Amino acid sequence: MSTPSHNRRRFAGASAMAMAVLLASVPAHAQTPPPPSPPADASVTLKPVIITARHRAERAQSVPVSLTVVTADQIKIVGSSNLTKIQELVPTLTVEAFNPRNTALNIRGLGAVPNLANDGLEGGVGVYLDGVLLARPAQDVFDIPDLQNIEVLRGPQGTLFGKNTVSGAVNITTALPSFTPTAEGSISYGTQNYFQIKARASSALFGSDKLAFSLSFQGTQHNGYVKDLYDGRSFGNQDDKGIRAQLLANVTPALTLRTIIDYNSDNDNCCANQIFGYVNNYAPGYLGGAAIPAAKTAQVRYTTLGVPLPSTNAWARTTTDNSPVHYHQESAGISTEADYDLDGFIFTSISAVRYWNWYPHNDSDLTSLSVLTQSQATVYQRQASQELRVTSPTSGPVDYTAGLYYLYQSLNSAIVSQYGSDAGAWLSNSAPSSAAAQTDNTALNGFGGASTGIYDTNSYAGFGQATWHLLPKLDLTGGLRYTYEQKTGAYHEVQEGGAASASPAVIGLRNAFAPVVPLYNVSADNGLPAGLITLSYKPVEGVLAYATYSHGAKSAGINLINSRIAPKVVNPETLDNYEVGAKTTLFGGRALVDGDLFWDEDTDYQATLVGFSGGLPYTYVSSIPKVRSRGVEVDTQVQATQELSLTFSGVYDNAYYESNPSAPCPIELGGSGVACNLTGGRVPGISSWTGSVGGEYDHELPELGGHHVVAYVAADAILRTGFFSGADNSQYSWVPGYGIGNVAAGVKEADGRWDLSGWIHNVTDSHYYLYRSASGSFPTYNTINGLVGDPITGGVTLSGKF
């Protein structure tokens, strides 16, 4: 990773001054002896990685924090700068997404339950873009055109960051505007009509040495990989665009202002579930492993209505949806960071406002029938934040960072369910011509429910972290945080549509499927302490050992739903993290080997679960008494030769329910109407073993027109063992382990002015699931369904700098 541009200017200026002083000190008649010849392998070292996680520029190897840094150069091979792809390079980070709103980020197995969203709950992993919290996980899936690097910090980080860092933080940094005119861009084309363009230009304004401006853009489009046999549509396509503008003002030598404006828009035909199979028998030991009653099976309903059974071949990538499956989302914001240098003390203010809008349309019945034609939540989110911070110089016996933080967030959600002309026949256990089936049809045809949820959050926090340099090689770091958070919510639900009827049977069925819920309010207030203490020691040059205890806390969650089962307020979540680690620089700077052992105890783990009301699924927040995550992490980088670089990262994570006695049961044990003891079961979404390996080989070619040209080949792969993708640990939610590899090869000018490459993603055409689930209730009944990963794709990319 390269040093940020302002540091490069300082370094260049300091180097020039030092050279001038040196030359001035040499007598005019003296002859400067030639410098000694460097050893043959002097250049075979890794570039230093500079991070800003502790709000000052530091070498990653000198910071006693368990972290992984991903640079812009590393991201090129995976072809995307959003977190769903970045996880391929960071094994300890998992990003599971049924769709953007249902995105779940986890670090060390903790953070959020995969594939289930609840607006009254925040995740446990805080994502910060240039110091600003992205409060909703869907905002993390946009590409960032001027990305510089991504720092993934593990364990509670509340003594450094504003909010939502109980299990870790992701710190994303973009490039500063340059005072020297620069322009760079890339264009890619590949299979499935994949087309991507990225461009960035930067310059001083009006020839000024005080103002610099940059403008960047990215756009990605491709066709989908899943075909709808009903009408020939494709699902899984992408149409993603984003623009960012930055203004950097050096107002005085001490005062710098940076303003960023961004807008992102995404339109996808996504995410259409496929049917992978059917659950026909209960598990052995439950009802003797008896067959599920035929009246409850989708196969019988398909046959009764004369509809062909859908394909269960996951790799055929087909569906039979007859209603739109689509979403549009947009996100935008403006932030201003002011930095004032007062004798080495940096006073920082970050002011920001952002919004996120989510407009989905889901066909949720997995059939070519008009059963549940709409089942979706439109969400409007607004946030405003203010951070005030001071960072001390590092020249004294103690250095520190301290700050105040405020966040306001508002979410308005409008949830709609709409039943079609086939809903009654699909629901009924009777023949379509029977009176009972006719009653079901009268009740549901054209009928639906509409609910509104309003969530408001005010969060106030004070935080600080200080390092006391006890001895030249021994440091003690301590941090404290206190958060006061207030959440309020309001909810109501009404019925819409359907033919007028006074039939008690019709009214009863409608009340079960879309109950009328009068307006009610709920609130929660919490005062939450957090802290950290770290002892770090440098026994020899190139080795840093450390031991850490940290405590993180996340505020209460609230449920705004029609369920009588779910609590309106869910307890705050706390996490105690115990960790020992070491960072080593070996072989004269050719290799970095970092590792740590961690043990995390999570109390009142806030999980989003699935329940059923009137036979219909709904999501709600609940507390799991105890979750434990423990394991080992390793990050390695090697500059084997001047031409060959290698990386390896791996994690073993034993994340399980230490206490979960009253969990919803999976379908094979009777479904969520029965409570199951999942104590000892694995936390969903987490593989026991995950590893990422990569490398690049560069070879200089003969000069071309006086230019140094390099040929290269690069590859990376992620391997992970199996995991449960559902919170109930159903055997039908088990995702087998898989590996994904990417390769690229090309030629480039040595100074990076141009680069032409070809690439292949999922080079082995690995068949793998993104998630799997099974339900025994309306509308999907006993189907096993979910999403599969993308097949092999390839293309070419041309990039240049001017």
Side-chain angles (χ1 to χ4, degrees):
M1 187 194 83
S2 60
T3 308
S5 57
H6 63 286
N7 289 337
R8 287 200 300 268
R9 294 196 299 272
R10 291 178 181 173
F11 178 77
S15 299
M17 184 177 293
M19 183 61 71
V21 172
L22 177 61
L23 292 176
S25 66
V26 178
H29 62 275
Q31 196 166 13
T32 305
S37 300
D41 62 350
S43 61
V44 185
T45 58
L46 291 163
K47 296 178 182 179
V49 176
I50 307 301
I51 66 169
T52 58
R54 299 200 300 184
H55 308 303
R56 54 168 60 92
E58 302 173 287
R59 293 187 60 163
Q61 291 300 100
S62 67
V63 178
V65 176
S66 177
L67 58 86
T68 300
V69 181
V70 180
T71 67
D73 288 339
Q74 291 174 284
I75 290 167
K76 287 179 181 178
I77 192 171
V78 299
S80 177
S81 56
N82 68 61
L83 293 183
T84 57
K85 282 292 186 180
I86 299 306
Q87 66 172 327
E88 294 182 18
L89 305 173
V90 188
T92 194
L93 171 70
T94 57
V95 184
E96 305 289 342
F98 165 67
N99 60 37
R101 178 174 177 259
N102 293 59
T103 298
L105 278 76
N106 286 287
I107 292 178
R108 293 176 173 171
L110 304 174
V113 171
N115 306 311
L116 297 173
N118 188 290
D119 297 326
L121 181 67
E122 285 113 346
V125 177
V127 179
Y128 290 81
L129 176 59
D130 292 321
V132 177
L133 175 71
L134 303 180
R136 303 311 299 174
Q139 296 172 293
D140 309 333
V141 303
F142 290 107
D143 277 350
I144 302 169
D146 51 1
L147 180 68
Q148 181 168 288
N149 68 10
I150 297 176
E151 303 161 9
V152 180
L153 295 88
R154 304 184 274 269
Q157 303 296 327
T159 60
L160 288 173
F161 291 90
K163 183 175 162 55
N164 289 7
T165 58
V166 66
S167 57
V170 179
N171 187 37
I172 304 172
T173 305
T174 63
L176 286 168
S178 170
F179 285 85
T180 302
T182 59
E184 58 185 289
S186 67
I187 185 169
S188 301
Y189 183 77
T191 53
Q192 295 295 113
N193 287 324
Y194 175 88
F195 180 76
Q196 183 183 75
I197 183 170
K198 293 184 178 182
R200 181 176 184 268
S202 184
S203 178
L205 282 178
F206 316 114
S208 169
D209 62 353
K210 300 290 187 181
L211 291 174
F213 177 79
S214 70
L215 183 66
S216 57
F217 168 82
Q218 71 83 22
T220 303
Q221 294 180 330
H222 68 76
N223 294 341
Y225 307 106
V226 177
K227 184 177 181 179
D228 189 351
L229 299 179
Y230 179 79
D231 58 10
R233 291 173 297 170
S234 64
F235 294 118
N237 67 311
Q238 181 181 7
D239 183 2
D240 180 11
K241 300 178 181 66
I243 187 168
R244 289 171 57 85
Q246 297 194 50
L247 180 65
L248 179 66
N250 293 329
V251 181
T252 70
L255 177 62
T256 300
L257 298 177
R258 182 189 188 189
T259 298
I260 304 172
I261 302 174
D262 69 89
Y263 174 80
N264 300 278
S265 174
D266 190 8
N267 284 280
D268 285 11
N269 279 354
C270 178
C271 301
N273 278 12
Q274 297 174 237
I275 293 178
F276 303 144
Y278 303 94
V279 183
N280 292 317
N281 294 280
Y282 293 113
Y286 180 78
L287 296 179
I292 289 179
K296 294 184 178 181
T297 65
Q299 298 101 308
V300 169
R301 298 172 196 274
Y302 281 118
T303 302
T304 300
L305 296 176
V307 178
L309 291 178
S311 168
T312 57
N313 179 3
W315 318 118
R317 294 183 168 87
T318 61
T319 69
T320 56
D321 293 321
N322 67 322
S323 296
V325 180
H326 175 82
Y327 71 77
H328 169 60
Q329 65 168 336
E330 58 181 2
S331 176
I334 179 171
S335 66
T336 296
E337 177 177 343
D339 293 296
Y340 185 74
D341 187 338
L342 180 62
D343 297 328
F345 290 87
I346 307 299
F347 292 86
T348 299
S349 167
I350 303 177
S351 308
V353 292
R354 296 198 63 83
Y355 79 84
W356 168 67
N357 292 337
W358 171 253
Y359 311 99
H361 195 298
N362 299 326
D363 180 348
S364 301
D365 54 52
L366 307 185
T367 76
S368 58
L369 302 170
S370 295
V371 179
L372 184 54
T373 58
Q374 293 188 60
S375 177
Q376 63 242 7
T378 301
V379 181
Y380 303 92
Q381 183 258 6
R382 305 291 183 266
Q383 68 177 79
S385 60
Q386 175 64 54
E387 181 171 350
L388 300 173
R389 188 175 68 232
V390 59
T391 302
S392 75
T394 58
S395 55
V398 177
D399 54 70
Y400 60 86
T401 291
L404 299 172
Y405 183 79
Y406 169 73
L407 173 75
Y408 169 75
Q409 181 180 200
S410 173
L411 278 90
N412 289 357
S413 65
I415 302 174
V416 174
S417 60
Q418 185 73 45
Y419 304 97
S421 58
D422 298 311
W426 184 255
L427 168 71
S428 181
N429 293 325
S430 304
S433 59
S434 67
Q438 292 303 314
T439 297
D440 293 342
N441 183 66
T442 300
L444 295 183
N445 186 15
F447 173 74
S451 64
T452 300
I454 300 174
Y455 307 78
D456 285 310
T457 300
N458 284 279
S459 182
Y460 312 82
F463 61 91
Q465 184 169 299
T467 298
W468 180 16
H469 306 289
L470 297 169
L471 297 170
K473 296 183 178 181
L474 183 66
D475 290 345
L476 178 65
T477 300
L480 290 173
R481 175 190 184 84
Y482 186 80
T483 303
Y484 174 74
E485 190 155 303
Q486 182 181 53
K487 288 184 178 179
T488 60
Y491 179 86
H492 77 282
E493 184 171 347
V494 298
Q495 296 176 344
E496 295 182 339
S501 176
S503 166
V506 168
I507 294 172
L509 188 58
R510 286 177 174 176
N511 288 339
F513 273 62
V516 175
V517 180
L519 178 68
Y520 72 83
N521 297 282
V522 62
S523 64
D525 300 78
N526 304 119
L528 303 168
L532 168 144
I533 185 166
T534 298
L535 188 66
S536 58
Y537 179 59
K538 299 178 181 178
V540 295
E541 184 67 24
V543 177
L544 171 67
Y546 63 92
T548 293
Y549 165 73
S550 54
H551 176 81
K554 182 154 65 91
S555 64
I558 58 176
N559 280 307
L560 298 183
I561 54 176
N562 60 30
S563 169
R564 297 186 181 91
I565 301 172
K568 296 297 184 289
V569 177
V570 178
N571 292 337
E573 177 182 346
T574 61
L575 186 142
D576 292 289
N577 170 61
Y578 307 87
E579 180 180 328
V580 293
K583 299 186 174 186
T584 62
T585 303
L586 306 174
F587 309 117
R590 287 190 178 194
L592 305 178
V593 180
D594 301 344
D596 64 76
L597 301 171
F598 64 90
W599 187 303
D600 292 340
E601 296 284 346
D602 198 316
T603 303
D604 287 326
Y605 178 69
Q606 294 175 347
T608 306
L609 305 177
V610 176
F612 291 85
S613 176
L616 288 174
Y618 63 90
T619 61
Y620 66 99
V621 182
S622 185
S623 288
I624 295 174
K626 278 282 189 180
V627 172
R628 174 176 291 165
S629 174
R630 55 187 177 180
V632 57
E633 297 161 322
V634 177
D635 280 297
T636 301
Q637 300 178 56
V638 178
Q639 191 69 45
T641 69
Q642 193 167 2
E643 298 177 318
L644 178 63
S645 59
L646 302 170
T647 62
F648 169 76
S649 297
V651 57
Y652 168 72
D653 189 353
N654 180 22
Y656 64 96
Y657 297 124
E658 191 177 355
S659 174
N660 189 11
S662 302
C665 278
I667 182 176
E668 64 268 25
L669 298 182
S672 66
V674 184
C676 280
N677 185 353
L678 294 186
T679 299
R682 294 171 60 170
V683 172
I686 307 304
S687 299
S688 295
W689 294 92
T690 308
S692 173
V693 61
E696 181 173 335
Y697 179 78
D698 296 349
H699 182 72
E700 188 167 350
L701 300 176
E703 287 192 4
L704 178 65
H707 299 280
H708 293 284
V709 179
V710 174
Y712 65 92
V713 59
D716 70 49
I718 185 169
L719 304 170
R720 62 184 302 186
T721 57
F723 59 92
F724 290 108
S725 59
D728 58 7
N729 283 12
S730 169
Q731 67 187 58
Y732 302 107
S733 74
W734 179 253
V735 173
Y738 59 84
I740 307 172
N742 309 301
V743 297
V747 290
K748 61 184 177 182
E749 192 168 0
D751 62 5
R753 290 185 60 188
W754 58 265
D755 186 332
L756 176 63
S757 66
W759 43 265
I760 302 176
H761 296 157
N762 190 8
V763 64
T764 59
D765 199 18
S766 175
H767 287 172
Y768 64 100
Y769 297 95
L770 297 177
Y771 90 94
R772 291 159 49 95
S773 67
S775 168
S777 298
F778 180 93
T780 56
Y781 292 105
N782 63 319
T783 56
I784 305 166
N785 56 80
L787 292 175
V788 300
D790 293 345
I792 183 172
T793 58
V796 295
T797 297
L798 174 64
S799 61
K801 298 180 181 180
F802 310 95

